[in-house]
């Protein structure tokens, strides 16, 4: 096609690679691309957001909720720097994202020009592929290779384009030595281990009497095979945070999340199993896995770089989860002794009653667990749920019962704050007919959430189902770090670092045209959810919650008790309230049958 290099790149992304939208914020370093969007009739569509970090988070969310490549764009220097947090989120959670970044004119480079940053060095760590387009003839193969790299490595690729190159006439390479003629051809790959390795894995799994399965996001798409494997092996299934929606929680053998934010059935299963089958997960916390030597291990993962990394696996199968399980299932022998499985199911049933009891412990003014416990059964079918990093993720992971067809998104590996509302925006563009609910703490909401909320309100009218609900837990405290200071360092709450300035979130939402609900009583929690879910548009649900409700770990360990005691002795101002809540939670656990 005729036109500029910027037009050529955008057209190729749209026509050859299927990119429908690109999130970004304008700047003179990408003026050539802004003009190109206009010339192409805004196809692909430029989605203007309030901040470049929102653009990279939204692009990551697109990848998480569709399996497709997400795309974002930023101007040179400051805009490029702002992309990094969302791009690192994509890298660490293995999501394909392509970033297009502007740069100063080629003639200016090396002179310390205004907004000149060494972008190759800046993106070298976050991107699997990063290259500057120094000539129009490079445009074709740089776009093709960036897309191909993002898809193949499930990571980030970056194309840097100087301003003068953006405006230059697009040119195909000449047939000459050094020219490159690329294409957009790329077929799906079937990756399955060799049969001898599958048989080794089957031998280990067949020999086990107490099999525990741990799944992560890499097990998506293998739901039927997972259920069949768990049935044959008489196993329970725990879920890493990124894989929390892989299997629905209404299956009686699904123990829920694992780790510090996890459930007691998951922790107990890992502590007692004699065989571990890990599928599509790189769960890093060894203290929540079986002790070394306790269990024989089999791992299935498509990335050979991480198999055997977290636990000493006896058999490490490199392959696609679904295809590998399909090949493995005929080799597995059904376990006739179902006592292990039956015990897990009883533990799960009891745990769910415990969660309900904990959620009904009175808070001051609202127990945050109650907010999630009341929401869970009301969620529409096919809802998409996002969560930010913080104590909101604790309650989200435990008290939301994910059902078949739901999707979930959280910054599982980078664990960055500020992602949930941008995720919700990206989810809504990807699935405009589905309800999206974001759970955010007041710290993350003040950080980027209130800015992304403007985008949620602004774009809502274009969706066939405009329902996006943003839940803000307003407790005036950077709660996750407060609890970490107590439980990990033995330090009392430090007011100077942990207190947040008051912000009337509901009133702010009303100012930008959203329906807003401020909930200050536990009796109003469920009616407010019903009202929010009955509204056919974007809603801000502000719950004023108790900062002293302890996020109890699945297993209370000596070092945690020791550190908390030290924090109380050193004068933690909330010690009395924390102890009262902890005693009530323990009593509820002990009396639940």
């Amino acid at each position: 096609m005729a036109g500029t290099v910027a037009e050529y790149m955008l057209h190729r992304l749209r026509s050859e690679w299927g990119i429908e939208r690109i999130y970004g914020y304008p700047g003179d370093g990408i003026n050539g691309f802004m003009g190109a969007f206009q010339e192409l009739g805004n196809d692909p569509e430029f989605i203007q957001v309030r901040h470049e970090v929102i653009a990279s988070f939204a692009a990551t969310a697109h990848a998480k909720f569709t399996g497709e490549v997400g795309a974002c764009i930023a101007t040179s220097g400051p805009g490029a720097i702002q992309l990094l947090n969302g791009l690192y989120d994509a890298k660490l959670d293995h999501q394909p994202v392509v970033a297009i970044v502007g740069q100063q004119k080629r003639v200016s480079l090396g002179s310390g020009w205004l907004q000149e940053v060494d972008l190759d060095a800046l993106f070298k760590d976050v991107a699997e592929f990063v290259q500057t387009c120094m000539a129009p003839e490079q445009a074709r193969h740089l776009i093709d290779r960036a897309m191909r790299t993002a898809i193949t490595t499930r990571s980030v690729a970056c194309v840097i384009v100087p301003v003068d190159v953006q405006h230059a006439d697009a040119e195909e390479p000449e047939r000459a030595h050094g020219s490159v003629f690329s294409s957009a051809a790329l077929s799906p790959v079937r990756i399955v281990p060799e049969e001898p390795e599958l048989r080794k894995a089957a031998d280990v799994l067949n020999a086990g009497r107490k099999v525990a399965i741990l799944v992560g996001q890499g097990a998506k798409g293998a739901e039927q095979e997972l259920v069949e494997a768990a049935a044959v092996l008489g196993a329970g299934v725990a879920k890493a945070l990124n894989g929390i929606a892989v299997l629905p929680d209404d299956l009686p053998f699904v123990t829920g999340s694992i780790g510090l934010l996890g459930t007691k059935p998951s922790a107990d299963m890992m502590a007692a199993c004699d065989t571990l089958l890990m599928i599509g997960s790189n769960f890093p916390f060894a203290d929540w896995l079986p002790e070394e030597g306790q269990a024989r291990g089999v791992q299935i993962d498509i990335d050979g770089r991480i198999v055997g990394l977290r636990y000493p696996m006896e058999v490490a199968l490199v392959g696609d989860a679904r295809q590998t399980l399909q090949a493995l299932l005929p080799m597995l022998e059904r376990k006739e002794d179902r006592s292990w499985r039956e015990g897990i199911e009883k533990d799960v049933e009891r745990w769910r009653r415990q969660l309900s009891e904990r959620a009904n412990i009175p808070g001051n003014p609202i127990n945050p667990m109650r907010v999630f416990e009341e929401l869970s059964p009301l969620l529409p079918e096919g809802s998409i749920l996002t969560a930010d990093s913080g104590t909101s993720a604790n309650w989200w992971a435990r008290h939301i019962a994910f059902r078949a067809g739901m999707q979930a998104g959280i910054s599982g590996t980078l664990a960055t704050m500020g992602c949930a509302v941008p995720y919700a925006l990206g989810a809504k563009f990807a699935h405009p007919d589905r309800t999206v609910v974001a759970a955010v703490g007041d710290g993350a909401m003040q950080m980027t959430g209130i800015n992304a909320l403007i985008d949620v309100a602004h774009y809502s009218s274009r969706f066939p189902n405009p329902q996006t609900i943003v839940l803000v837990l307003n407790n005036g405290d950077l709660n996750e770090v407060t609890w970490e200071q107590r439980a990990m360092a033995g330090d009392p709450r430090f007011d100077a670092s942990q207190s947040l300035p008051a912000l009337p979130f509901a009133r702010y939402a009303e100012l930008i045209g959203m329906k807003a609900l401020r909930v200050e009583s536990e009796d109003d929690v469920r009616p407010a959810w019903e009202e929010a879910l009955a509204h056919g548009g974007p809603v801000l649900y502000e719950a004023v919650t108790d900062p002293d409700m302890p996020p109890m770990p699945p297993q209370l360990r000596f070092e945690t008790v020791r550190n908390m005691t030290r924090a109380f002795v050193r004068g933690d101002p909330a010690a009395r309230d924390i102890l009262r809540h902890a005693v009530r939670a323990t009593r509820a656990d002990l009396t639940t049958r």
Side-chain angles (χ1 to χ4, degrees), residues 457 504-514 516:
F505 296 104
R507 286 167 53 197
Y508 174 86
E510 287 175 341
L511 285 174
I512 60 175
M514 295 178 67

Side-chain angles (χ1 to χ4, degrees), residues 292-307:
E292 184 172 4
Q294 169 195 322
R296 302 176 72 184
V298 174
Q299 185 173 4
I300 300 172
D301 203 284
I302 201 166
D303 190 343
R305 295 173 297 180
I306 66 171
V307 289

Side-chain angles (χ1 to χ4, degrees), residues 403-427:
R403 304 193 299 274
M406 290 182 173
Q407 288 183 275
I410 190 168
S411 178
T413 311
L414 186 61
T416 179
M417 291 174 66
C419 64
V421 184
Y423 272 12
L425 180 70

Side-chain angles (χ1 to χ4, degrees), residues 25-34 46 52 74-76 102 115 163 166:
Y25 198 84
D28 61 355
I30 49 173
N31 275 347
F33 282 100
M34 296 301 102
F46 175 72
E52 287 90 355
T75 189
S76 58
Q115 296 188 332
V163 171
Q166 296 171 32

Side-chain angles (χ1 to χ4, degrees), residues 147-227:
M147 287 295 298
R148 189 174 287 109
T149 301
I151 293 167
T152 304
T153 66
R154 302 177 313 284
S155 191
V156 176
C158 177
V159 178
I160 301 162
V161 192
V163 171
D164 53 326
V165 177
Q166 296 171 32
H167 290 283
D169 291 337
E171 295 182 32
E172 293 289 358
E174 296 181 0
R175 184 172 174 78
H177 183 71
S179 293
V180 177
F181 296 85
S182 65
S183 73
L186 183 64
S187 64
V189 179
R190 185 173 187 270
I191 304 176
V192 181
E194 297 289 339
E195 184 174 338
E197 292 302 308
L198 291 168
R199 293 209 173 275
K200 287 181 186 177
D203 289 343
V204 172
L205 296 170
N206 290 334
R209 294 186 302 108
K210 301 177 180 179
V211 181
I213 299 175
L214 172 59
V215 300
Q217 63 178 349
K220 289 178 184 176
E223 292 82 357
Q224 181 179 339
E225 291 77 11
L226 287 170
V227 171

